[in-house]
Amino acid sequence: QYKRYTIITQNQNLVKLGSIAMKYDIKQGDCLELMKDIPDGSIDLVITDPPYGIGLTPQRITGKFKGTIVLNDDNLEWLDDWIEEIYRISKNIVCVFCGWQKVDVFKQSLEKRFICKNILVWDKCWFGIGNNYRPNYELCILCCKSNFTIKSKNKSNILRYKRLNPIDMVHSCEKPIPLIEDLIYELSNEGDTILDPFMGSGSTGMACIHTNRNFIGIELDENYFNIAKDRIRSELNNIPYIKNDIHTDIKNEKVNLF
């Protein structure tokens, strides 16, 4: 059993496809289990920010997220099984954020199934904490099953988007929405289905709303699941060209994605 919240909308602002129904489907639970319900080869693009396997906890004593622990960030025992499921359900392209500490582990595991096309660098335009060389970037491994070309055709693999001010963050590892929108725009098309199996506070879902994509999100932490649900619902209600036809209440029962 798990919690699920679904919104089906009538999007009247799709440039190429016209007015069509869009679906935002989020689930609370273990993604290794819930992805089993997703059909083979049905996901146009995976963008996700999984636990980095580094046991990260915010270090500032007075910080907003003091003592916050990311679930399952103390190991990467789940990684190979997760990649097998991602390979099964993906049509082609997968983007996986990671830190420099374990990028070798992520890359070697992903290369067992995918072609590693590139390693993108997110330049945060903001120094992290520390008293040595202070961290200013995170990495995103860009994988595929077969070759592809981004829309821009000629673009740097360094993506510069200022990290969120901690005051404005609702998750300790939250990525800026414009960064996710950039990846979505370059790597998918309007009306496509995007999956984020480590949804966190729902930033990928927000980016999907802004770029006219369907969204499937999975989050283990119930608190962040509820935050994501509220953010996505609120954003949809505030966009005039989207008509929310159906709001499906949370159900504590297992139901199929499709």
Side-chain angles (χ1 to χ4, degrees):
Q1 291 191 331
Y2 55 82
K3 290 186 177 180
R4 178 183 187 184
Y5 185 77
T6 304
I7 300 176
I8 299 176
T9 72
Q10 193 70 21
N11 189 318
Q12 300 171 344
N13 199 44
L14 288 177
V15 177
K16 296 180 180 178
L17 302 178
S19 178
I20 66 170
M22 303 291 289
K23 188 174 183 180
Y24 306 90
D25 196 348
I26 66 174
K27 299 166 177 286
Q28 188 260 317
D30 184 343
C31 66
L32 284 175
E33 293 299 320
L34 298 184
M35 286 193 298
K36 293 176 182 178
D37 291 332
I38 302 178
D40 295 357
S42 62
I43 300 299
D44 296 289
L45 173 64
V46 175
I47 297 180
T48 196
D49 184 20
Y52 289 0
I54 58 176
L56 179 67
T57 56
Q59 299 176 32
R60 290 190 187 275
I61 296 175
T62 58
K64 178 178 180 180
F65 296 101
K66 175 188 174 183
T68 299
I69 297 175
V70 176
L71 294 179
N72 294 324
D73 192 40
D74 58 345
N75 70 83
L76 293 176
E77 296 174 357
W78 48 270
L79 185 58
D80 284 345
D81 290 340
W82 179 79
I83 289 171
E84 285 296 320
E85 275 300 294
I86 288 295
Y87 187 85
R88 179 185 65 80
I89 63 181
S90 297
K91 290 182 180 178
N92 190 17
I93 305 173
V94 173
C95 294
V96 182
F97 282 92
C98 64
W100 64 267
Q101 301 93 329
K102 295 290 179 72
V103 63
D104 55 332
V105 178
F106 275 92
K107 183 173 182 292
Q108 290 169 18
S109 293
L110 285 162
E111 285 181 324
K112 293 175 184 177
R113 299 296 277 157
F114 291 95
I115 302 165
C116 280
K117 177 82 169 176
N118 208 327
I119 296 183
L120 309 179
V121 177
W122 169 37
D123 179 356
K124 301 181 182 182
C125 309
W126 180 308
F127 287 110
I129 61 176
N131 56 11
N132 206 311
Y133 288 106
R134 296 166 62 183
N136 194 36
Y137 72 94
E138 290 180 35
L139 302 170
C140 180
I141 303 176
L142 177 59
C143 300
C144 58
K145 295 181 177 181
S146 59
N147 200 20
F148 66 93
T149 302
I150 62 173
K151 289 190 176 67
S152 296
K153 294 185 171 64
N154 184 17
K155 184 170 185 170
S156 171
N157 66 352
I158 299 177
L159 307 178
R160 292 183 172 89
Y161 290 94
K162 188 173 182 179
R163 64 159 285 187
L164 295 171
N165 189 314
I167 295 174
D168 301 321
M169 294 169 67
V170 293
H171 190 293
S172 61
C173 303
E174 188 173 348
K175 301 294 185 286
I177 293 173
L179 168 64
I180 307 301
E181 290 174 350
D182 188 327
L183 295 170
I184 290 174
Y185 170 77
E186 294 289 354
L187 300 171
S188 67
N189 299 304
E190 288 189 329
D192 280 357
T193 296
I194 313 300
L195 169 68
D196 185 349
F198 296 98
M199 176 176 62
S201 57
S203 297
T204 304
M206 300 284 281
C208 286
I209 294 171
H210 300 161
T211 55
N212 302 324
R213 270 70 166 174
N214 297 286
F215 176 63
I216 300 173
I218 303 172
E219 174 54 40
L220 181 61
D221 188 300
E222 185 172 9
N223 176 55
Y224 286 129
F225 167 82
N226 288 328
I227 291 173
K229 177 197 69 176
D230 292 341
R231 289 181 77 195
I232 291 169
R233 180 171 55 187
S234 176
E235 188 71 9
L236 286 169
N237 287 336
N238 289 330
I239 296 179
Y241 60 78
I242 289 182
K243 177 183 177 183
N244 294 338
D245 293 328
I246 300 172
H247 287 255
T248 302
D249 294 333
I250 296 174
K251 296 180 180 179
N252 290 304
E253 60 184 6
K254 186 171 183 178
V255 290
N256 290 328
L257 274 172
F258 298 92

